[in-house]
Amino acid sequence: EGLSLATALPGLLGATQEGPKTYLLLVQNEDELRATGGFITTVGNLVLSDGQVIGLNFEGVDSNNQEDWTKPYPAAPWQLKEYMNSRVLILRDANWFTDFPTSALWAEYLYAYKHAHSVDGVIAIDQHFLVMLLGQLGPLEVEEAPYPLTSENVIAYMREARTPPDGAPRPVDWY
């Protein structure tokens, strides 16, 4: 398996004659469980060339940011319709399916509704990915955080950051 990965790695990192590779990143929130990880809160676009990151951006999936309602959306799976009152399948719900390859195909398809470029693959990340990443990189200084974020405190910090301070009204654009 290691040798197979080693031979595939240059292609995955855009370090072959094929050129750069573009990946759709699905940022999942495990606090709202879905079959392949968690609710998709954000999508990202990662471009790699010769093993280097040459592009990385993220977009929220709230407030219809990712929908183009002039296009026909597929009907939602019956469970999503029945239990979540969703009539159509949209990007934030693309990982409703029980196997990642199916969820990745739907995410790629629905992402293309608003983006004029294709992707070479789909990568999903969740809170535990961030914990593992900080475990390797060490503490991270974040401008508005009162303390360095570590693998031990990052999940608690993210959960606390979702809630306005006690007694403060929730801003209309709170996200």
Side-chain angles (χ1 to χ4, degrees):
E1 290 178 359
L3 288 175
S4 295
L5 176 63
T7 59
L9 206 51
L12 295 172
L13 297 175
T16 65
Q17 299 292 351
E18 296 174 8
K21 295 294 182 181
T22 302
Y23 296 97
L24 171 60
L25 303 177
L26 305 177
V27 181
Q28 301 180 122
N29 180 355
E30 67 190 38
D31 291 340
E32 187 174 331
L33 283 178
R34 297 293 172 94
T36 59
F39 181 72
I40 299 171
T41 60
T42 303
V43 293
N45 189 51
L46 170 67
V47 182
L48 300 172
S49 181
D50 294 325
Q52 301 291 316
V53 174
I54 62 170
L56 176 64
N57 61 51
F58 290 94
E59 305 169 65
V61 295
D62 63 326
S63 303
N64 296 327
N65 286 343
Q66 296 298 325
E67 283 76 46
D68 178 352
W69 295 111
T70 66
K71 298 187 177 170
Y73 280 81
W78 74 265
Q79 301 93 334
L80 192 58
K81 184 176 180 181
E82 178 76 21
Y83 299 110
M84 303 297 283
N85 199 28
S86 297
R87 294 177 315 176
V88 295
L89 185 64
I90 57 177
L91 181 57
R92 70 175 185 219
D93 295 321
N95 66 343
W96 183 263
F97 303 93
T98 58
D99 63 291
F100 188 74
T102 300
S103 292
L105 285 172
W106 277 114
E108 186 175 346
Y109 177 78
L110 294 166
Y111 180 77
Y113 272 27
K114 292 279 292 220
H115 298 85
H117 63 84
S118 62
V119 297
D120 296 298
V122 178
I123 301 169
I125 59 176
D126 64 8
Q127 289 100 314
H128 286 286
F129 171 78
L130 191 54
V131 167
M132 291 187 319
L133 187 63
L134 287 174
Q136 294 301 310
L137 299 177
L140 178 67
E141 297 285 337
V142 175
E143 189 174 313
E144 295 179 15
Y147 47 83
L149 300 181
T150 67
S151 59
E152 291 82 28
N153 67 16
V154 68
I155 291 178
Y157 174 78
M158 289 188 301
R159 288 179 178 150
E160 289 171 17
R162 285 193 303 218
T163 308
D166 287 338
R170 184 181 182 126
V172 175
D173 60 349
W174 185 267
Y175 180 68

